[in-house]
Amino acid sequence: MSIEIIIALYQEDYLTDKEVIDWADDKILKEEEPFDYLYMLSLKGPRHCLSLPSTDFPIAKQLTYSERFALRATKLNLESEEDCDHFREWVASASLGEDLSLPEVMFGYHIDEDFYCTDNHSGGLKYFKEEMLNLIDKTKNLAEALWSKIA
């Protein structure tokens, strides 16, 4: 069900309370027999619904590292030093312990070592921007698939 995905996107700060409520309202109007969860989400909001036990409201989809990476990568402004710094901080820590066969995980390890461990700020930034262009292209389909499930 798409409600688990919308809640996951909300928890990752991709959607505001209002956007989630508007989404629920839209679903209620479009469906012949909307789920009670949609009414609850519309009337009480996502913050309230997240405080409920899983027996009363569906839990968010557990996004994989690759999904989280793809979502963040597609929103990243490579021209903004601040955005790049935030992304590098996230990827350096979030990639730890993930599957090393994934290019986006190896990228995180390289960012962690090249930029944070060796203080190679200029080399780390150059590597970051070059690799991000490739990784954004490779992972954008994953982000698009998540967004399409709630459309």
Side-chain angles (χ1 to χ4, degrees):
M1 180 192 258
S2 56
I3 201 159
E4 290 90 347
I5 296 172
I6 199 94
I7 294 299
L9 292 170
Y10 171 78
Q11 285 181 316
E12 292 283 329
D13 291 327
Y14 288 104
L15 299 169
T16 64
D17 287 56
K18 182 181 179 339
E19 289 171 322
V20 173
I21 291 168
D22 289 347
W23 174 86
D25 291 344
D26 185 57
K27 289 291 185 188
I28 290 167
L29 293 173
K30 287 181 178 174
E31 294 183 14
E32 284 185 37
E33 294 183 33
F35 288 105
D36 288 342
Y37 300 134
L38 291 172
Y39 290 110
M40 190 181 306
L41 195 55
S42 174
L43 296 171
K44 300 285 186 173
R47 192 177 321 257
H48 170 78
C49 293
L50 281 169
S51 69
L52 299 172
S54 62
T55 54
D56 295 340
F57 193 82
I59 58 173
K61 176 190 184 314
Q62 192 69 29
L63 298 176
T64 65
Y65 170 79
S66 294
E67 289 170 330
R68 292 168 58 223
F69 182 95
L71 287 166
R72 282 175 170 77
T74 57
K75 299 289 185 191
L76 178 64
N77 176 1
L78 286 171
E79 300 304 314
S80 166
E81 191 173 325
E82 184 178 347
D83 279 5
C84 290
D85 284 346
H86 288 302
F87 192 92
R88 284 185 292 185
E89 288 173 25
W90 176 80
V91 78
S93 63
S95 62
L96 299 177
E98 296 292 335
D99 181 357
L100 292 172
S101 67
L102 298 170
E104 58 270 26
V105 172
M106 285 305 298
F107 173 72
Y109 276 79
H110 285 293
I111 293 301
D112 182 49
E113 184 167 327
D114 290 345
F115 188 76
Y116 291 102
C117 296
T118 63
D119 269 347
N120 184 12
H121 296 290
S122 60
L125 183 58
K126 182 177 185 267
Y127 169 80
F128 173 80
K129 287 187 175 185
E130 288 172 359
E131 284 300 307
M132 277 308 298
L133 290 172
N134 294 329
L135 289 170
I136 288 170
D137 205 38
K138 288 179 183 175
T139 62
K140 70 180 173 185
N141 291 340
L142 190 53
E144 289 169 356
L146 282 170
W147 288 111
S148 72
K149 290 180 182 177
I150 62 165

